[in-house]
Amino acid sequence: MEFTVSRCDVIPSRLTARLQLGVNCPARTPTSVQELLTQQLRMPADYVRDRIETLFLDGMVVDDPQVSIVEDGSTLGLSAAMPGLVGATLRKGGYYAPMRSQINWTAHSGGQLPPKAPPGNVRVRLYNLILRERAPALLARGVMLTRDELLDLLPVGTCDVPHPPNGELIMVRIVDSVT
Amino acid sequence: MDGDRILRIDMSAPGGPTVTQEPLGDLAGLGGRAMTSLIVTAEVDPLCHPLGPGNKLVFAPGMLTGSSASTSGRISVGCKSPLTGGIKEANAGGQAGQHLARLGIRAMIVEGQPEGDDLWTVVINQDGEVSFKVDNSLRMQGTYATVAKLTEDYGPKATFMVIGQAGEMMLGGASIAACDRELRPTRHMGRGGVGAVMGSKKIKAFVIDAVKGPSRQPAQPERFKEASRLFNEGLKRHGVSGEGLPTFGTNILTNILNEAGGYPTRNFSSGHFEEATQISGETQAETMIARDGSATHACHRGCIIQCSGIYNDKEGNYVSKQAEYETVWSHGGHCGISDLDVIQQLDRMDDDFGLDTIETGVAIGVAMEGGLLPFGDGPGAVKVLEEVGKGTPLGRIIGSGAVVTGKAFGVRRVPVVKGQAIPAYDPRAVQGIGVTYATTPMGADHTAGYTITANILGVGGQVDPLHTEGQIELSRNLQIATAVIDSTGLCLFVAFPVLDQPETFAAMLEVVNGFFGTDLTPEDVTELGKKILSVEREFNAKAGFTAADDRLPEFFRTEPIAPHDVTFDVKDEELDAVFNW
């Protein structure tokens, strides 16, 4: 089931909160973080390299997007560079990586946190500048939301939201304008 | 520089306080933390009572403060800390440092203690002349009311450093407030109970009048100007100082620490707060803008990072400045509170009572664990904090900090080092910060190893990032570099472009050299940092500190933290090697 809504019909603060909490994105898995971001989510490679300074895969810090593997149901957090010593420590491949070695993503660390996304999806969380810059494209591509999550984004009574069978997720596209 | 001097204020003098002026001597060219720590070490008996006449309170603008160097307006205060019992340096932005520096006052040493209960205001006029006035009408007034009264008396072009009720009661969590450009007492020299020392001197306020004439002039104007241009470019170009901080403030970190499982929640019982997005920097910035506040605000003239903001209530009325990450954490996740309005109200109250937001928030969280009120009770936290302003027995316990609160409520898990509350980064998830928490002479302090120039300075050799042992060397180098930044008057947030852009580090050093007409090298910078740390550790050793004080609380080694189920496992002998240079 699909649903398209104009960005101006969405409550901005609710959308910001939803993107921080995470949205489910259909994805082919397993795959590398790099492939997911650049090929499936269509982010430019230089953007992933230079702008997304901090990545979390299932709560573990990613140092190398090329070798970090996204599984079905994984959660991926994306952030720009962070301030402070700890912020620098959490950067991918940073000089200060030794300071947080216990929470580095490794091939054996996947699945330490319970998966959040349903099969066939990866849960993507957008933070700070990445949220501002990548949300429009991600939302236009479409994200999977529960009906309650979708209703939370909309002013009461403004849209006729469909009822998917068996509580299935809805493919929601949020676009600049609905033609 | 011509006219640069030290003011020495004797509060014990018969007949009332007196002031003398001294040349800088060997202290010429120093500022900030270097100045305060060298003076405290030289002049204060490490065994004195921190609230007695033997302690001294030393204010020092940074080396560049008062000049046109960008983001250089910070002022330091040093003393023996009533919270830790060791040496303390705390610093803040605001206007006070610039006013003092432009008057040529490179340090202000307050010593002695007056007899009687009169409350003094120290007035420095636009010619740098000092006078003293008793004003008991300010007794037990909050910092906002105090500044409002002083503004009436001395005009809006003056600036002020004041204490609130907590300082007058000489509580361990008491801060000293400096004012921002709009004369709001929101920039606090927060940590270690420095406000209590000011209260022990019976000084309620410093008034520093408007300054005539231009900013401090560099020895080599063209060199300084060109270096400043490059430095400013570096600050603006970098993603953190040029975009992230102006857009979201330091609270940009909430989501990230939470994602990393390093966000201490409900008194360090978990590393993940399920309601973190409700108090994140992203949510905070959006709220401020929606309420006609601002997500971008400079705490002093000349700051181009502008990491602060203005937080209004739902009706658009000013509440407080944008609470910083550590404050949102201490009153938020640490206490299980996810209501941003409550957190901002607590921030306002901290500022008004003159309290360190980290120490106070941590103390409330400890009290929650002790059963005083449940985690997550925002209105309850407000009521508890109100007790501090009233000076009730409960308020005095909370205002005295986490250790006293933990003892009063029988709590075992008290997150402190050297008696000072641990800030918003769990050292089990990010072990390297734990090394700095444990070993810094200041007590647990996230800013002690903040400045990240180690790879540029090359102090201690290059570190293999694949080995965990590297974190000892990293912490050492970070502490050395930070001690220097704390001396320059530059905001620590310049650290990020300095880290990533070697040319910006070079420009920063050239700004210093152009201003003083020197040719300092990175090696000289390193030596200054080592010297500062060495005298601070010397003071602490004489005060009775041993290696046993360079440790994290036991629970960090014995209680794994969710979601990663990790403990702090850096060995004691490694911690003891941090200062082996």
Side-chain angles (χ1 to χ4, degrees):
Chain A
M1 186 168 287
E2 297 188 2
F3 186 81
T4 300
V5 61
S6 171
R7 176 181 282 270
C8 63
D9 291 330
V10 172
I11 302 170
S13 60
R14 301 274 179 83
L15 184 59
T16 301
R18 171 49 49 202
L19 290 164
Q20 294 173 70
L21 289 166
V23 290
N24 296 320
C25 298
R28 299 181 302 276
T29 56
T31 187
S32 71
V33 170
Q34 183 76 17
E35 196 277 339
L36 176 74
L37 295 178
T38 59
Q39 301 302 313
Q40 299 191 45
L41 299 183
R42 303 286 183 187
M43 295 184 190
D46 57 351
Y47 185 90
V48 173
R49 183 187 65 231
D50 299 331
R51 192 63 159 173
I52 304 178
E53 294 261 17
T54 316
L55 291 114
F56 297 92
L57 180 54
D58 294 329
M60 312 300 280
V61 184
V62 170
D63 283 310
D64 187 349
Q66 303 273 4
V67 303
S68 303
I69 303 301
V70 182
E71 305 283 354
D72 206 14
S74 287
T75 298
L76 189 64
L78 308 176
S79 166
M82 288 291 99
L85 169 60
V86 174
T89 298
L90 295 173
R91 288 187 203 174
K92 65 177 189 281
Y95 183 82
Y96 301 94
M99 302 182 86
R100 43 84 172 159
S101 56
Q102 292 206 337
I103 58 171
N104 294 353
W105 188 93
T106 67
H108 305 293
S109 61
Q112 286 198 5
L113 295 178
K116 298 285 175 132
N121 287 272
V122 171
R123 193 168 188 83
V124 177
R125 293 173 175 159
L126 301 182
Y127 299 128
N128 48 72
L129 297 170
I130 308 302
L131 190 159
R132 289 194 172 188
E133 293 165 356
R134 300 313 306 179
L138 189 76
L139 295 169
R141 175 183 183 270
V143 298
M144 306 298 291
L145 300 178
T146 66
R147 187 171 189 274
D148 284 346
E149 288 173 342
L150 174 56
L151 284 172
D152 184 60
L153 300 179
L154 304 171
V156 176
T158 56
C159 295
D160 187 14
V161 176
H163 288 267
N166 305 318
E168 289 177 4
L169 299 177
I170 304 171
M171 167 62 84
V172 178
R173 291 187 176 86
I174 300 175
V175 297
D176 287 341
S177 61
V178 179
T179 55
Chain B
M1 304 288 167
D2 290 343
D4 282 359
R5 63 201 185 280
I6 293 172
L7 291 186
R8 188 177 295 273
I9 294 170
D10 181 1
M11 297 300 294
S12 295
T18 60
V19 62
T20 54
Q21 304 196 20
E22 303 170 5
L24 291 173
D26 292 342
L27 298 171
L30 296 179
R33 179 172 167 184
M35 183 74 86
T36 63
S37 287
L38 287 172
I39 291 174
V40 169
T41 304
E43 297 193 10
V44 175
D45 178 358
L47 297 176
C48 76
H49 195 291
L51 300 178
N55 200 5
K56 300 188 181 187
L57 191 65
V58 182
F59 294 91
M63 294 158 64
L64 295 168
T65 303
S67 75
S68 61
S70 175
T71 317
S72 67
R74 296 190 78 82
I75 182 170
S76 292
V77 64
C79 60
K80 177 174 178 174
S81 165
L83 190 75
T84 70
I87 197 166
K88 172 55 59 182
E89 184 268 352
N91 60 70
Q95 291 294 117
Q98 293 186 336
H99 280 224
L100 283 174
R102 289 174 64 187
L103 287 167
I105 299 169
R106 306 304 306 148
M108 183 165 63
I109 305 170
V110 183
E111 55 192 28
Q113 218 163 41
E115 293 186 359
D117 280 335
D118 281 337
L119 209 49
W120 293 86
T121 297
V122 180
V123 182
I124 304 171
N125 71 16
Q126 57 186 348
D127 296 316
E129 298 163 346
V130 182
S131 60
F132 303 91
K133 178 186 175 187
V134 171
D135 188 351
N136 290 317
S137 73
L138 297 175
R139 190 180 303 281
M140 289 301 277
Q141 294 294 306
T143 63
Y144 275 86
T146 298
V147 168
K149 169 73 162 42
L150 293 171
T151 304
E152 281 180 17
D153 293 348
Y154 298 97
K157 291 185 177 177
T159 196
F160 314 102
M161 293 191 294
V162 303
I163 57 172
Q165 295 94 324
E168 288 188 55
M169 292 186 284
M170 294 179 277
L171 304 181
S175 63
I176 299 172
C179 296
D180 64 13
R181 295 173 302 163
E182 293 80 17
L183 291 179
R184 292 164 173 154
T186 57
R187 322 316 306 186
H188 285 239
M189 290 161 265
R191 309 230 64 191
V194 293
V197 179
M198 186 161 150
S200 77
K201 308 294 183 194
K202 304 294 182 189
I203 296 174
K204 178 70 174 180
F206 290 90
V207 177
I208 312 155
D209 207 349
V211 184
K212 295 182 291 190
S215 58
R216 295 171 69 208
Q217 294 302 299
Q220 298 175 333
E222 288 305 315
R223 186 183 183 190
F224 175 78
K225 184 178 176 183
E226 175 60 11
S228 293
R229 185 184 66 77
L230 295 171
F231 184 56
N232 292 354
E233 281 181 5
L235 296 185
K236 289 179 178 174
R237 184 170 74 244
H238 192 270
V240 172
S241 56
E243 291 183 272
L245 286 172
T247 306
F248 299 107
T250 58
N251 196 25
I252 193 172
L253 281 164
T254 290
N255 273 325
I256 304 311
L257 265 295
N258 199 50
E259 182 82 71
Y263 188 80
T265 300
R266 297 184 187 86
N267 194 30
F268 288 77
S269 62
S270 173
H272 183 79
F273 185 38
E274 60 280 5
E275 296 165 0
T277 57
Q278 297 177 39
I279 58 174
S280 69
E282 293 87 331
T283 302
Q284 189 182 30
E286 194 169 65
T287 303
M288 290 189 295
I289 292 168
R291 294 180 180 180
D292 294 328
S294 173
T296 306
H297 181 260
C299 76
H300 65 75
R301 290 189 189 91
C303 175
I304 63 173
I305 297 178
Q306 303 186 48
C307 70
S308 193
I310 301 298
Y311 192 95
N312 292 338
D313 63 19
K314 290 172 182 169
E315 284 72 45
N317 302 308
Y318 172 81
V319 174
S320 188
K321 91 283 191 186
Q322 176 183 12
E324 296 205 41
Y325 166 64
E326 288 78 12
T327 303
V328 175
W329 163 79
S330 71
H331 286 305
H334 174 69
C335 293
I337 294 171
S338 58
D339 185 331
L340 206 46
D341 286 328
V342 167
I343 293 167
Q344 288 283 169
Q345 183 183 356
L346 291 165
D347 177 72
R348 163 66 181 247
M349 294 167 73
D350 285 338
D351 282 356
D352 197 33
F353 300 154
L355 287 165
D356 173 17
T357 59
I358 296 173
E359 195 68 45
T360 306
V362 170
I364 293 173
V366 168
M368 286 175 163
E369 175 145 340
L372 178 66
L373 69 169
F375 284 112
D377 183 358
V382 171
K383 285 182 182 174
V384 167
L385 192 50
E386 284 172 348
E387 300 287 316
V388 183
K390 294 174 186 171
T392 66
L394 173 61
R396 288 170 185 259
I397 289 171
I398 298 293
S400 295
V403 169
V404 171
T405 301
K407 288 181 177 175
F409 289 93
V411 177
R412 183 179 62 84
R413 190 194 294 122
V414 180
V416 299
V417 176
K418 299 182 179 71
Q420 181 167 286
I422 290 177
Y425 314 84
D426 198 291
R428 288 165 288 193
V430 185
Q431 305 248 321
I433 192 85
V435 176
T436 299
Y437 284 163
T439 59
T440 168
M442 296 295 154
D445 185 347
H446 62 291
T447 68
Y450 205 81
T451 303
I452 303 165
T453 54
N455 51 339
I456 296 168
L457 293 173
V459 276
Q462 293 294 306
V463 173
D464 182 348
L466 299 178
H467 288 83
T468 55
E469 290 78 8
Q471 54 205 346
I472 299 299
E473 286 76 11
L474 286 172
S475 178
R476 173 192 305 144
N477 299 341
L478 293 163
Q479 291 192 56
I480 289 169
T482 301
V484 176
I485 293 288
D486 281 343
S487 304
T488 62
L490 293 168
C491 175
L492 272 180
F493 296 161
V494 307
F496 321 121
V498 165
L499 159 70
D500 292 330
Q501 301 161 182
E503 69 277 12
T504 307
F505 173 76
M508 182 185 75
L509 191 55
E510 191 64 3
V511 168
V512 175
N513 281 328
F515 189 79
F516 289 100
T518 54
D519 289 299
L520 293 174
T521 65
E523 290 72 27
D524 296 324
V525 171
T526 301
E527 287 308 308
L528 176 59
K530 288 180 179 178
K531 181 178 180 181
I532 295 165
L533 288 165
S534 294
V535 300
E536 291 171 348
R537 285 179 58 80
E538 175 190 334
F539 184 96
N540 281 357
K542 290 178 179 174
F545 284 67
T546 68
D549 295 293
D550 288 343
R551 300 288 183 265
L552 296 183
E554 181 186 53
F555 75 86
F556 285 110
R557 293 192 183 278
T558 59
E559 296 182 14
I561 189 169
H564 297 301
D565 290 329
V566 289
T567 56
F568 184 74
D569 62 4
V570 178
K571 297 180 177 67
D572 286 349
E573 50 267 35
E574 292 181 286
L575 295 175
D576 293 340
V578 166
F579 294 102
N580 290 343
W581 53 58

